[in-house]
Amino acid sequence: QVQLVESGGGLVQAGGSLRLSCAASGRTFIRFDMGWFRQAPGKEREFVAAISRSGGNTYYADSVKGRFTIAGDNAKNTVYLQMNSLNPEDTAAYYCAATVVTSPYLLLISGKYNYWGQGTQVTVSS
């Protein structure tokens, strides 16, 4: 089992920044690829970013590329999502997730993740 706990969400003005954290406990963290997803009210959960277990490969949704950065710290069993240049369309509940799959194509699919956090709310005001 893996337990994931997100933190760092909040209210920010458009153009601002937030850093989300996802702390993992339980099974060894480095055996999983990690992802961030988000879900806005009335919308489906969508892929945001993912990072390979080695940290050597990162993947981003087109909508956040160049603004968001995913990074991992295996020593702290934590993955981060640095979010810059936020806009109101980024408002959503953000979830981190862990998966045993390694294919870059599968990392974009929420159903391929084995463990999920409870989510943290990000609200961007205009």
Side-chain angles (χ1 to χ4, degrees):
Q1 287 291 335
V2 173
Q3 293 77 43
L4 303 174
V5 179
E6 302 98 332
S7 61
L11 174 64
V12 64
Q13 289 188 332
S17 299
L18 283 174
R19 188 177 79 156
L20 305 183
S21 299
C22 174
S25 61
R27 294 176 61 187
T28 174
F29 170 78
I30 82 173
R31 296 175 59 184
F32 298 93
D33 287 12
M34 302 294 294
W36 284 96
F37 288 77
R38 66 186 182 186
Q39 187 167 19
K43 295 187 177 181
E44 293 187 354
R45 188 168 296 188
E46 66 173 358
F47 170 78
V48 176
I51 186 168
S52 63
R53 60 204 65 190
S54 69
N57 295 298
T58 56
Y59 312 93
Y60 297 93
D62 288 343
S63 59
V64 306
K65 202 171 294 183
R67 300 188 298 123
F68 291 12
T69 303
I70 188 170
D73 186 336
N74 286 343
K76 295 183 178 180
N77 287 350
T78 301
V79 65
Y80 304 97
L81 185 67
Q82 177 67 44
M83 305 186 296
N84 299 328
S85 301
L86 286 161
N87 59 62
E89 289 70 39
D90 295 316
T91 295
Y94 284 71
Y95 300 88
C96 80
T99 179
V100 299
V101 303
T102 57
S103 165
Y105 303 102
L106 298 180
L107 289 175
L108 277 58
I109 303 172
S110 61
K112 297 300 182 182
Y113 284 76
N114 306 95
Y115 303 100
W116 290 85
Q118 82 291 347
T120 185
Q121 179 66 35
V122 171
T123 302
V124 184
S125 63
S126 57

